[in-house]
Amino acid sequence: MTVTFHDILFGETREDRPCGDCIACCQVLNIDEPELVKPQGTLCPNCTGTGCSIYETRPQVCRGWNCAWKRIPSMPPETRPDAMGVLFTVDRHLPPRNPFENLYIIAVAQEREEDLSSRDTQDVINMFKAAALPIFVQWQGMKTLVHPEPVLADAIMNPEGIKDWRLREQARQWLERYEPFARAGADDQVLLPQLG
Ligand code: SF4
Ligand code: SF4
């Protein structure tokens, strides 16, 4: 079995976490496979509204891809993407356009931007802050960095312009903690089915 970043960062898919009527990933995922092409943010033509009409023969990417909720036991039932309106996963942008895009956690709002500000979503974001990974939120295809917070993010991107030595040191330490993840994310031999 191929190991992906999802397996490494979030753990394996759990059989005791049923998707139920959730179809968030059938909308959110970008799929570009010989058997199915579907852009990010559009509902897959095989989706019935509550499940997959070709479940037994669905593409490999659908079989291997599972959101953070389906992998992390400490995420409660109300944080399943259809209940929360927000899907959490890990992603990367190759090539990265800034120091945070090598590997990051992302929260994608499906129908309402306000869902990114809900208590449940914020609790999950706070939980992920313990990991040395950047966190983005996404609404209608637009990504916004929410962790590290703006002052530190700016110091990480422009350390030479920062006069406060404490902030420069904080930025240096942040990059040091992130470096193994950034290196792993840049390795295109490691599989990570991407959002878009
Ligand atoms: S987003 Fe998660 S819970 Fe929802 S259908 Fe996909 S894997 Fe299942
Ligand atoms: S093929 Fe099935 S599982 Fe895959 S995106 Fe479409 S509806 Fe969802």
Side-chain angles (χ1 to χ4, degrees):
M1 194 179 70
T2 309
V3 175
T4 70
F5 276 121
H6 295 94
D7 300 321
I8 296 166
L9 293 172
F10 296 154
E12 290 182 8
T13 301
R14 298 179 61 94
E15 294 306 322
D16 60 351
R17 302 230 121 189
C19 294
D21 289 345
C22 182
I23 53 167
C25 54
C26 304
Q27 166 122 12
V28 163
L29 279 183
N30 172 56
I31 299 179
D32 189 3
E33 299 291 318
E35 61 271 55
L36 178 64
V37 176
K38 166 199 121 34
Q40 184 186 25
T42 61
L43 192 61
C44 174
N46 299 313
C47 184
T48 62
T50 54
C52 176
S53 63
I54 58 161
Y55 189 78
E56 295 307 324
T57 57
R58 67 199 187 284
Q60 196 55 43
V61 64
C62 305
R63 292 169 189 274
W65 198 95
N66 283 289
C67 67
W69 178 84
K70 204 148 159 79
R71 296 167 178 274
I72 300 178
S74 60
M75 287 180 73
E78 56 271 27
T79 62
R80 197 173 79 177
D82 57 333
M84 189 162 58
V86 175
L87 176 156
F88 278 84
T89 188
V90 60
D91 204 6
R92 64 182 166 184
H93 190 285
L94 293 177
R97 296 162 296 191
N98 58 57
F100 308 108
E101 284 193 329
N102 285 289
L103 196 64
Y104 51 85
I105 307 276
I106 185 161
V108 184
Q110 295 147 66
E111 291 181 0
R112 303 180 331 144
E113 188 177 15
E114 312 85 273
D115 289 335
L116 291 169
S117 313
S118 74
R119 168 68 70 88
D120 286 334
T121 302
Q122 290 301 311
D123 282 351
V124 178
I125 287 176
N126 287 334
M127 177 187 83
F128 280 129
K129 281 182 182 173
L133 282 176
I135 304 174
F136 286 88
V137 297
Q138 179 171 309
W139 167 241
Q140 293 188 335
M142 180 84 83
K143 260 178 28 219
T144 306
L145 184 73
V146 295
H147 178 74
E149 43 83 28
V151 173
L152 181 55
D154 190 45
I156 291 165
M157 284 196 287
N158 309 296
E160 62 291 336
I162 302 299
K163 293 200 174 64
D164 182 342
W165 67 268
R166 293 174 202 82
L167 187 54
R168 271 204 317 274
E169 178 58 12
Q170 245 185 303
R172 188 196 65 73
Q173 287 179 10
W174 195 94
L175 276 175
E176 193 174 85
R177 282 197 305 275
Y178 181 48
E179 202 271 336
F181 295 102
R183 206 159 7 94
D187 180 354
D188 61 10
Q189 299 303 304
V190 183
L191 283 186
L192 179 64
Q194 289 184 264
L195 288 179

